Amino acid sequence: MAIDGVEEKMMKEEVFDSTTASFLLKELKQSFASGKTRSYEWRVSQLKSILKFVNDHEQDVVDALRSDLSKPEFESVIYEVLTQLLESVISKPEFELGF
């Protein structure tokens, strides 16, 4: 017996086809054109927050990956932690990291 159609929704396979992609692209372009996107300063602030979080919680991430996925520490640091740090820095290399 399904509860509020949850089981039915889980069984229904959603397809991301060209029609869905076109609709999503149109919505995103409209949103951007409306000017309701976030400011440059907000984006830089978000990148700094990501860098600080990754730096402050590196060992937590490593421990979680070891516990959940049996991923070795070295692999976690190289492929998860450092990759996130590099992606954030590459996104906006001219800002000061400040942590």
Side-chain angles (χ1 to χ4, degrees):
M1 178 172 185
I3 300 173
D4 295 326
V6 172
E7 188 175 20
E8 183 178 322
K9 286 180 183 178
M10 289 175 65
M11 305 243 344
K12 181 181 176 187
E13 185 177 329
E14 292 188 30
V15 177
F16 190 78
D17 57 10
S18 62
T19 304
T20 306
S22 295
F23 179 75
L24 181 59
L25 181 61
K26 182 180 176 183
E27 280 188 332
L28 290 171
K29 284 182 176 184
Q30 287 174 345
S31 177
F32 182 77
S34 74
K36 68 178 181 181
T37 59
R38 302 290 181 143
S39 69
Y40 171 84
E41 292 78 18
W42 182 87
R43 293 175 191 281
V44 169
S45 170
Q46 292 299 102
L47 287 171
K48 286 181 179 181
S49 294
I50 291 169
L51 290 171
K52 183 171 178 12
F53 177 85
V54 171
N55 188 55
D56 291 349
H57 298 283
E58 176 180 337
Q59 193 58 50
D60 296 332
V61 171
V62 169
D63 292 344
L65 288 167
R66 181 178 29 246
S67 173
D68 295 349
L69 304 174
S70 299
K71 202 169 220 184
E73 182 173 356
F74 180 75
E75 185 179 337
S76 295
V77 170
I78 296 297
Y79 292 111
E80 306 297 338
V81 176
L82 292 179
T83 301
Q84 183 60 52
L85 288 172
L86 288 172
E87 285 178 8
S88 296
V89 170
I90 288 169
S91 296
K92 196 66 189 146
E94 62 265 15
F95 73 76
E96 294 180 27
L97 301 181
F99 57 79

